[in-house]
Amino acid sequence: MVEFDLIDDPTTPSLPSEVWEGSLAWPMTLTMQAEFQRFYDCVVQGNRRANLTRILEPMDFWEKHLWDSLRGVLPFLSGEVPLPDSPRLVDIGTGGGFPGIPLAIARPDWSLTLLDSTQKKVRFLQAAIAHLQLSQVQAIAGRAETLGALRPYRGGYDVALLRAVAAPSVCLGYARSWLKPGGWAVLYRGQWRDEEQEDLQQGLQGFELVTIDAFVTPQTQATRHSVMLRRLSSG
Ligand code: SAH
């Protein structure tokens, strides 16, 4: 039996669509929305065999997984912070594919590596990538600190994304070896307290803190922070 036999299941509830309007400064197309619905369908099915997420109710999934994944890198999406052509991104500790898969759907021209240490989650992601035909995305199993020391991963990436993985300094420790000089680390955080700021300062070697973008989610007004750092050429 195939472990993750994903299908388009018309009985999966519909994600809200009107909520995109005005909530994100990004031109969301109907094609992208249809792909988000197919990915949601995959997660609902995959969650029966792997512990991917507790956030499954359609509005919650939209806000906390889809909207949140895109909002954290809005400066890249909007072009306010330019990336090289055909950038290479790694989503470290991607879990059920967040923020990596929503980004891959929004930006099919970006290349994405999804990394997680849990084999089962990665097998789900590989099935979802094949089902959604996301040809520029690969999912690999392993630990960030181990694979980041090896070719072709070491120094190979323009952006490292980390959402809900570890303390800020630990996240930077993971991202450090994957990034090219001048590459970006983006930490998706909820609250940003003094403890987090202090912890970040401790772990900053080799990085420059560029911005801490604070915002609230559009449905439940939950606090979020997107912390953007740049990899220096030394350190
Ligand atoms: N980014 C996802 C998942 C967060 S849970 C989201 O926001 O929904 C954290 C994930 O990181 C787990 O799936 C865990 O398996 C993975 N993880 C933790 N430490 C890791 C490491 N050192 N290397 C790779 N993956 C790791």
Side-chain angles (χ1 to χ4, degrees):
M1 191 188 67
V2 183
E3 187 183 18
F4 292 104
D5 192 9
L6 304 174
I7 54 162
D8 286 328
D9 179 357
T11 67
T12 302
S14 294
L15 292 172
S17 56
E18 71 291 349
V19 282
W20 283 115
E21 188 70 35
S23 68
L24 192 74
W26 166 254
M28 189 54 62
T29 67
L30 291 177
T31 309
M32 287 170 194
Q33 291 190 35
E35 288 301 290
F36 289 141
Q37 179 68 39
R38 292 184 75 215
F39 177 52
Y40 175 54
D41 203 346
C42 290
V43 175
V44 170
Q45 292 170 58
N47 223 33
R48 295 177 194 137
R49 294 189 180 275
N51 189 12
L52 301 171
T53 181
R54 280 175 303 187
I55 298 169
L56 275 183
E57 189 278 320
M59 184 61 90
D60 274 358
F61 188 90
W62 173 78
E63 179 186 52
K64 302 196 172 69
H65 282 327
L66 300 180
W67 185 90
D68 191 75
S69 291
L70 300 181
R71 177 60 186 83
V73 289
L74 190 59
F76 296 146
L77 285 175
S78 68
E80 182 194 327
V81 174
L83 291 178
D85 288 342
S86 310
R88 289 168 53 81
L89 293 85
V90 58
D91 179 4
I92 296 176
T94 187
F98 308 103
I101 298 233
L103 267 182
I105 290 171
R107 287 306 299 247
D109 53 326
W110 290 358
S111 142
L112 264 142
T113 299
L114 310 179
L115 169 73
D116 205 280
S117 51
T118 306
Q119 303 267 353
K120 198 170 192 174
K121 292 181 184 175
V122 172
R123 290 197 300 273
F124 160 74
L125 290 169
Q126 288 167 342
I129 289 164
H131 181 67
L132 300 175
Q133 298 180 290
L134 295 171
S135 56
Q136 86 290 20
V137 186
Q138 60 164 344
I140 53 174
R143 297 199 65 83
E145 56 277 40
T146 313
L147 289 184
L150 306 175
R151 281 172 188 277
Y153 308 113
R154 187 184 168 86
Y157 289 84
D158 301 294
V159 179
L161 309 164
L162 297 109
R163 193 180 85 154
V165 175
S169 58
V170 176
C171 289
L172 287 186
Y174 293 160
R176 190 173 286 110
S177 60
W178 293 72
L179 289 170
K180 298 176 187 172
W184 293 90
V186 181
L187 312 183
Y188 286 67
R189 312 294 303 187
Q191 299 290 337
W192 188 255
R193 302 186 190 83
D194 289 347
E195 299 101 272
E196 273 112 5
Q197 183 68 34
E198 280 162 29
D199 176 83
L200 183 79
Q201 296 295 342
Q202 304 291 319
L204 212 52
Q205 63 270 26
F207 285 95
E208 172 198 12
L209 176 58
V210 179
T211 50
I212 302 178
D213 184 10
F215 51 92
V216 293
T217 63
Q219 287 293 320
T220 58
Q221 274 76 50
T223 301
R224 294 283 186 277
H225 292 82
S226 171
V227 182
M228 297 181 65
L229 306 107
R230 207 133 196 219
R231 183 80 172 91
L232 303 169
S233 20
S234 56

